[in-house]
């Protein structure tokens, strides 16, 4: 069913469209760079755009390199529960943490950085992985009167999924724009993400299903 973009209530959130998540990057999402032209076209159609930026200090607890004897993609128990270990990525100030050079970032009204607490990872744009530490984004969106959130970016099955679930739980209408995302797909995580979105009745649309206001 087509959805009409409401210029006042709707906001596009482009998640982690950074060099390290694109082919050639430290934590490359297969075909991750393909989201860039799709998101750029979407950004022209929304009045409001927010970008998120994964932004880890060196030695971050989500890096396998911070846990001697551990390898990327293994899971460990941290103080807040299970955590997947990743290659070092999106280190604050490093070139890999920059947005993809072709991403149309100029229009963004907010760049929300996340993952900067050394001991806590943050997939979601709303809450860190302890599921308790807020990023402040919900307050920002509410205070500005946005009620519907359209999500795009990387990775579909991690940061986009967790952001969508939190947005929905927080009471925002939530839409994931499928062809504006790409998945890491580790151990079936893409199929699992689709199951979880369906479970929450979070809409998953194609960019072509959005109509201009
Ligand atoms: C992400 C793993 C680690 C993401 C960020 O943006 O999906 N995934 N950090
Ligand atoms: Zn990260």
């Amino acid at each position: 069913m087509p959805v009409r973009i409401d210029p006042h209530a709707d906001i596009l959130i482009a998640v982690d469209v950074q060099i390290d998540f694109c082919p050639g990057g430290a934590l490359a999402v297969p075909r991750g760079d393909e989201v860039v032209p799709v998101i750029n076209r979407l950004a022209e159609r929304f009045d409001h755009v927010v970008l998120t930026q994964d932004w880890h200090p060196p030695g971050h607890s989500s890096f396998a390199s911070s846990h001697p004897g551990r390898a990327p993609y293994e899971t460990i128990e941290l103080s807040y529960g299970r955590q997947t270990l990743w290659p070092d990525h999106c280190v604050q100030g490093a070139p890999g943490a920059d947005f993809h050079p072709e991403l149309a970032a100029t229009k963004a009204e907010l760049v929300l950085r996340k993952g900067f607490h050394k001991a806590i990872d943050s997939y979601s744009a709303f809450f860190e992985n302890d599921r308790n530490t807020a990023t402040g984004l919900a307050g920002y969106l509410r205070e500005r009167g946005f009620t519907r959130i359209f999500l795009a970016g990387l990775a579909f099955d991690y940061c986009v999924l967790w952001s969508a679930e939190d947005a929905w739980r927080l009471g925002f209408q939530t839409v994931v724009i499928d062809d504006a995302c790409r998945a890491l797909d580790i151990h079936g995580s893409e199929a699992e993400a689709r199951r979880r979105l369906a479970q929450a009745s979070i809409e998953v649309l194609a960019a072509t299903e959005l109509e201009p206001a």
Side-chain angles (χ1 to χ4, degrees):
M1 257 225 312
V3 167
R4 191 172 295 276
I5 297 170
D6 179 327
H8 305 293
D10 291 348
I11 187 160
L12 175 68
I13 302 184
V15 175
D16 299 0
V17 185
Q18 291 165 261
I19 288 172
D20 270 345
F21 294 123
C22 290
L27 178 40
V29 177
R31 306 193 303 160
D33 55 332
E34 292 178 6
V35 305
V36 172
V38 184
I39 291 173
N40 288 349
R41 280 193 296 275
L42 283 168
E44 286 174 19
R45 300 170 58 191
F46 282 81
D47 278 37
H48 306 284
V49 179
V50 164
L51 304 177
T52 72
Q53 189 173 26
D54 211 36
W55 193 248
H56 300 307
H60 190 254
S61 59
S62 77
F63 296 169
S65 64
S66 305
H67 306 274
R70 299 307 192 119
Y73 311 106
E74 290 180 9
T75 56
I76 56 162
E77 282 303 320
L78 294 183
S79 59
Y80 53 80
R82 272 201 115 43
Q83 171 68 47
T84 300
L85 295 176
W86 304 106
D88 291 26
H89 65 279
C90 298
V91 174
Q92 296 173 355
D98 284 347
F99 292 116
H100 186 288
E102 261 121 63
L103 181 70
T106 316
K107 184 165 175 177
E109 295 169 346
L110 173 73
V111 175
L112 190 280
R113 288 174 167 168
K114 61 182 180 64
F116 47 75
H117 289 129
K118 198 166 182 173
I120 320 174
D121 204 2
S122 190
Y123 295 157
S124 165
F126 295 94
F127 291 102
E128 303 193 16
N129 286 12
D130 62 0
R131 314 312 295 136
N132 190 46
T133 305
T135 64
L137 182 60
Y140 172 88
L141 295 173
R142 285 189 186 128
E143 195 160 2
R144 295 198 56 205
F146 300 113
T147 55
R148 190 166 58 171
I149 292 166
F150 290 77
L151 286 156
L154 306 171
F156 174 82
D157 40 354
Y158 287 89
C159 290
V160 174
L161 168 69
W162 288 49
S163 298
E165 287 183 326
D166 280 349
W168 175 81
R169 270 187 221 114
L170 289 162
F172 295 101
Q173 286 178 266
T174 308
V175 180
V176 175
I177 307 171
D178 204 359
D179 52 331
C181 302
R182 290 292 183 278
L184 272 167
D185 202 16
I186 296 163
H187 311 307
S189 55
E190 180 173 4
E192 169 70 10
R194 290 190 188 280
R195 273 194 296 278
R196 280 165 57 171
L197 292 170
Q199 175 111 37
S201 302
I202 292 169
E203 258 185 297
V204 181
L205 297 182
T208 52
E209 292 178 89
L210 299 184
E211 288 175 359

